[in-house]
Amino acid sequence: MIYTDTRDKSVKTDFRTAVLNGMNEKTGGLYIPVSFPKLNPSLINRTPEPTFREIAFEMAKPYVEGEIPDKDLQAIIHDAYPFTAPVVPVDKTSYVLELFHGPTCAFKDFGARFMARVMSYFNRNESSPLHILVATSGDTGSAVGSAFHNVSGLDVTILYPEGKVSELQEKQLSTFDGNVRALKVKGTFDDCQKLVKTAFTDNALRGKLRLSSANSINISRLLPQSFYYMHSSLVVKNRVWGDSKIEDPAIIAVVPSGNFGNLTSGLIAREMGAPIAGFVAATNSNKTIPDWIASGKYEARPSVETYANAMDVGAPSNYERIAAMYSLDEVRRLFASYWLDNDGIIASIKNCFEKTGYTIDPHGAVAWKAWSEIKNGGLQAIKDGKNTDISKPGITPNLPEWTDKVLDKKAVGIILETAHPAKFGSTVSKATGQSPLIPDRLEKVLSLKDRSIPMENDYEQFKEWLLANLQ
Ligand SMILES: *Cc1c(COP(=O)(O)O)cnc(C)c1O
């Protein structure tokens, strides 16, 4: 596969370069494959549907062709995914896709674990380790730390702002040993990011250590997220008749979004032949994308804090990939878009629990509310020219091409549940009156020893520490 760049289509590079560089420093653009090959229809139409791992292998194959042989790709997939993503029906026209069965209980495990193994593969013949530096405001750091832990040839240093992550998040970050460690920086998330960025531009340091990043713009995190869209849409297609007697339904993926990596992965799956009719781009009060879809103007802005804090992104980087793949008109035909404020998030967790008995986390709750509105008259109201004030929480005033399917009650939603509700226990119990059960793998982390290393918000000290402690 050839990879190009969102800002310069004359760029042509391979998977290895795209993965190890993360982004194209010359243009500031993001890497993107030049094509999204269709999966073999015999695989898509097979019943029962292929397993998650089989789909993962077949989908990954064209993107690594010529660079990772089949048997090594099989091993990477096998090792990355000892868990899957179950589909849970919650009412006649809604399914929840549980993406929290990985080690850190969030969907980022799917991308980070594939990326770690691919990087390790590309580093296999080097004599020195590849050093990953990652700044985190919470969840990314633990997914990356966990995904890279004990993976050979890789070494990870996580920077997080002292006192600014939750107790559980801090435990998830700071208790690794071996090749993963966390620096507790006396500063903000932006300070952490600045330290990392300065390190990447420090040629003296780069002469001594091989550095790489692991953030969500990396193409090797996006591609694997497309696997669960394909798998879940096939599962739903094959069982929906039995669940609801709806013939030939439009399957809509409802995606709680921040940086829009997850949704971009859904677009890739659809291009590759997943039976997904369209998407709902659902955000919290950080509504840069809904505003773009409504007004046609893209305006990045500072983020605001919400209960769905992993989606607190005011300048979503994957906007650039979406805009490189589709025109605004195409986006408006493919997507409905929706935003929800904090009061709405609490009300939605409560509503989902009372209506279905399902405990949803604050991120999934944004998607649950979006889907509920869309199927209960929201699109009809848009059609009638009502509720078009996008300064209030609600649906953007475009009518996607699958609108009539929804109005005819021939659509089902797949709601992406991106985190386990126990990760946001206090918000969830505020809404439902009950604390969610904590899974064993989260509980265990709470009793581990904190190994975080204190660090001043000072580049010279940070650099000195790196040179003294990393090889
Ligand atoms: C990161 C994250 C999101 C947002 O995903 P994007 O790919 O950035 O849009 C949503 N929910 C949870 C729990 C997350 O950790």
Side-chain angles (χ1 to χ4, degrees):
M1 175 64 69
I2 296 166
Y3 290 78
T4 185
D5 175 326
T6 49
R7 295 195 186 173
D8 180 0
K9 288 283 181 295
S10 74
V11 169
K12 287 188 174 49
T13 192
D14 57 9
F15 185 53
R16 180 194 166 96
T17 309
V19 171
L20 295 181
N21 288 359
M23 69 186 290
N24 189 348
E25 273 168 32
K26 284 201 202 89
T27 63
L30 307 182
Y31 292 111
I32 187 165
V34 292
S35 68
F36 302 98
K38 292 256 186 267
L39 260 199
N40 192 330
S42 68
L43 198 74
I44 290 183
N45 296 324
R46 204 165 89 195
T47 50
E49 63 287 336
T51 63
F52 179 83
R53 279 180 177 163
E54 186 175 358
I55 285 174
F57 173 75
E58 294 295 337
M59 287 181 84
K61 214 168 125 150
Y63 299 106
V64 307
E65 197 111 69
E67 298 183 66
I68 305 181
D70 283 2
K71 86 170 176 8
D72 294 314
L73 180 61
Q74 287 281 18
I76 288 171
I77 299 278
H78 190 87
D79 195 46
Y81 303 118
F83 54 91
T84 62
V87 171
V88 180
V90 292
D91 67 25
K92 287 259 181 271
T93 51
S94 318
Y95 295 86
V96 171
L97 173 59
E98 293 186 340
L99 297 173
F100 55 69
H101 292 274
T104 74
C105 297
F107 91 96
K108 290 188 175 68
D109 288 331
F110 282 91
R113 290 178 67 83
F114 184 81
M115 172 168 62
R117 282 148 188 84
V118 164
M119 283 186 164
S120 170
Y121 183 81
F122 285 140
N123 201 57
R124 70 196 183 287
N125 295 327
E126 303 286 341
S127 54
S128 60
L130 188 62
H131 291 283
I132 312 293
L133 300 182
V134 53
T136 185
S137 54
D139 275 2
T140 300
S142 55
V144 169
S146 160
F148 284 71
H149 192 218
N150 294 334
V151 176
S152 87
L154 304 176
D155 186 272
V156 179
T157 303
I158 302 167
L159 286 78
Y160 72 94
E162 179 170 12
K164 298 203 169 57
V165 304
S166 77
E167 193 189 332
L168 177 62
Q169 279 176 328
E170 182 155 28
K171 279 287 186 183
Q172 283 191 297
L173 284 172
S174 66
T175 51
F176 296 108
D177 56 4
N179 67 331
V180 179
R181 69 208 62 85
L183 304 182
K184 174 165 65 176
V185 176
K186 293 191 176 52
T188 63
F189 169 60
D190 288 338
D191 294 327
C192 296
Q193 237 176 350
K194 207 162 154 211
L195 290 173
V196 169
K197 280 198 178 141
T198 312
F200 281 128
T201 54
D202 182 340
N203 287 330
L205 181 69
R206 297 199 82 154
K208 298 205 171 90
L209 297 174
R210 297 176 52 239
L211 297 182
S212 190
S213 71
N215 54 26
S216 69
I217 57 169
N218 198 299
I219 191 70
S220 68
R221 275 180 66 174
L222 279 198
L223 294 172
Q225 292 172 176
S226 66
F227 308 158
Y228 53 70
Y229 282 90
M230 179 69 76
H231 184 250
S232 64
S233 61
L234 296 179
V235 169
V236 167
K237 184 172 101 155
N238 289 339
R239 65 172 290 167
V240 70
W241 175 255
D243 288 336
S244 61
K245 299 279 179 287
I246 298 174
E247 213 172 325
D248 189 25
I251 297 174
I252 311 299
V254 190
V255 191
S257 295
N259 213 17
F260 279 77
N262 200 0
L263 201 139
T264 305
S265 303
L267 294 168
I268 294 172
R270 185 174 180 276
E271 290 292 329
M272 295 181 76
I276 295 173
F279 297 86
V280 181
T283 73
N284 58 26
S285 300
N286 295 281
K287 59 192 186 74
T288 304
I289 293 288
D291 282 346
W292 167 57
I293 291 175
S295 74
K297 278 199 219 73
Y298 177 81
E299 287 176 84
R301 57 197 78 158
S303 63
V304 296
E305 279 182 39
T306 75
Y307 291 135
N309 60 22
M311 289 157 48
D312 293 349
V313 181
S317 15
N318 283 294
Y319 158 75
E320 203 163 316
R321 283 198 176 101
I322 296 173
M325 287 169 75
Y326 303 98
S327 70
L328 178 60
D329 278 342
E330 287 171 325
V331 167
R332 285 172 172 162
R333 284 200 293 273
L334 199 51
F335 293 17
S337 184
Y338 179 86
W339 78 275
L340 186 63
D341 61 14
N342 257 354
D343 290 344
I345 289 175
I346 299 288
S348 174
I349 297 171
K350 185 168 190 291
N351 172 276
C352 181
F353 185 67
E354 285 172 356
K355 281 231 165 82
T356 70
Y358 191 87
T359 305
I360 204 155
D361 97 293
H363 304 82
V366 174
W368 167 256
K369 182 67 183 351
W371 179 238
S372 305
E373 287 226 352
I374 281 170
K375 64 176 185 166
N376 294 317
L379 287 178
Q380 185 64 51
I382 299 289
K383 208 169 178 177
D384 298 340
K386 292 186 220 144
N387 297 355
T388 54
D389 180 4
I390 186 68
S391 69
K392 299 203 190 74
I395 310 169
T396 54
N398 55 303
L399 290 169
E401 60 197 7
W402 41 268
T403 298
D404 287 342
K405 282 285 213 177
V406 172
L407 299 183
D408 295 344
K409 309 257 177 254
K410 290 200 153 130
V412 298
I414 300 180
I415 290 151
L416 277 68
E417 171 59 324
T418 48
H420 193 287
K423 287 191 94 169
F424 303 90
S426 66
T427 307
V428 170
S429 64
K430 191 163 147 176
T432 63
Q434 294 178 30
S435 296
L437 278 180
I438 302 181
D440 284 350
R441 60 197 187 287
L442 276 187
E443 185 95 63
K444 237 189 237 157
V445 154
L446 290 171
S447 60
L448 294 179
K449 183 173 159 230
D450 181 342
R451 297 170 185 272
S452 62
I453 299 158
M455 179 60 57
E456 294 299 323
N457 175 23
D458 175 84
Y459 182 68
E460 287 311 316
Q461 287 192 36
F462 172 55
K463 178 177 177 177
E464 214 169 282
W465 187 92
L466 292 177
L467 289 171
N469 290 281
L470 307 185
Q471 294 117 35

